[in-house]
Amino acid sequence: PVTIQGGSLIKLISGDLTGATEQFNKATDRLFSGAIVDAFNYEKALQKLEIQEIELLKVRAQTNKELSNFKFIAADTNKTIEERISALQAANKIETETLAIELEIAKERLRIKQAQNAEQGTNRAGLRAEAELISTVANLEQQSLEKQKELTTQLNSLLQEQEQKRIEAFQKKLIS
């Protein structure tokens, strides 16, 4: 672009105002058309993410409902240990899957913001938005680990209870 703009300057100095204008317009058209295409692509990517986030709201609501149901079953001592273990395993599976989707969307939003900042240059608002997205990703990763730990702890407790019952049943069998 510099040579074309320099060429337009030479034309302007030599008195060719029309040639200078045409040369300058060609240079700026190329320069700004790339920025417009990039801005359009970022906007398109963000729109796609927003649609995914709307769907995720529905998925998260359904997941929370199912989690409550599975946790209720897991806590119900009237159910067999196998049913309770199965419920916790199902809860762990759906929670892990949903958090993975949430994390994927958050990482994509961060990737887009980082690309925008790299392309457009960073200002305070851009840096802050990027930092908030980095924080969101880190929080989702932490949340995922905490949920997995919680469900794994409950599952281990049930597995220990199951093993204890087996031992007791075996001991009764030996005594009889």
Side-chain angles (χ1 to χ4, degrees):
V2 174
T3 58
I4 295 173
Q5 288 175 350
S8 66
L9 185 59
I10 293 169
K11 288 184 181 196
L12 182 62
I13 292 170
S14 66
D16 183 6
L17 185 57
T18 305
T21 304
E22 288 174 1
Q23 194 89 16
F24 183 76
N25 286 340
K26 286 180 187 175
T28 55
D29 282 350
R30 273 190 246 150
L31 180 66
F32 291 119
S33 68
I36 290 169
V37 167
D38 288 342
F40 178 74
N41 287 337
Y42 293 136
E43 186 61 32
K44 194 173 177 182
L46 287 172
Q47 287 174 353
K48 181 180 176 186
L49 264 180
E50 286 176 18
I51 291 168
Q52 291 175 339
E53 288 171 335
I54 290 167
E55 288 302 312
L56 179 60
L57 290 172
K58 297 173 191 174
V59 169
R60 175 44 75 189
Q62 184 63 32
T63 297
N64 289 343
K65 180 180 174 184
E66 290 177 21
L67 278 174
S68 293
N69 186 41
F70 287 135
K71 286 181 178 183
F72 180 77
I73 292 170
D76 186 352
T77 56
N78 292 322
K79 301 284 184 187
T80 67
I81 293 221
E82 289 78 15
E83 289 173 312
R84 295 167 66 199
I85 288 171
S86 179
L88 275 178
Q89 288 171 332
N92 192 24
K93 181 178 185 250
I94 64 168
E95 180 61 25
T96 301
E97 290 171 356
T98 304
L99 277 171
I101 294 168
E102 289 173 332
L103 192 56
E104 183 181 319
I105 288 173
K107 284 181 177 180
E108 180 61 12
R109 187 170 285 282
L110 173 60
R111 185 198 65 74
I112 291 169
K113 179 42 106 180
Q114 288 173 330
Q116 283 178 317
N117 284 348
E119 185 75 29
Q120 300 167 356
T122 52
N123 57 28
R124 269 192 179 145
L127 290 174
R128 181 175 183 82
E130 186 176 331
E132 288 172 354
L133 291 169
I134 289 169
S135 175
T136 298
V137 168
N139 289 339
L140 283 171
E141 289 172 337
Q142 178 186 1
Q143 181 183 356
S144 175
L145 291 174
E146 287 174 0
K147 285 283 187 184
Q148 289 175 10
K149 180 182 175 186
E150 173 192 344
L151 293 171
T152 300
T153 300
Q154 291 174 355
L155 182 61
N156 286 340
S157 177
L158 285 177
L159 290 170
Q160 287 174 350
E161 185 179 332
Q162 182 182 44
E163 186 60 27
Q164 185 61 37
K165 286 187 177 190
R166 282 184 189 157
I167 290 170
E168 289 172 4
F170 181 73
Q171 288 174 344
K172 281 183 182 179
K173 203 176 197 182
L174 286 177
I175 295 173
S176 305

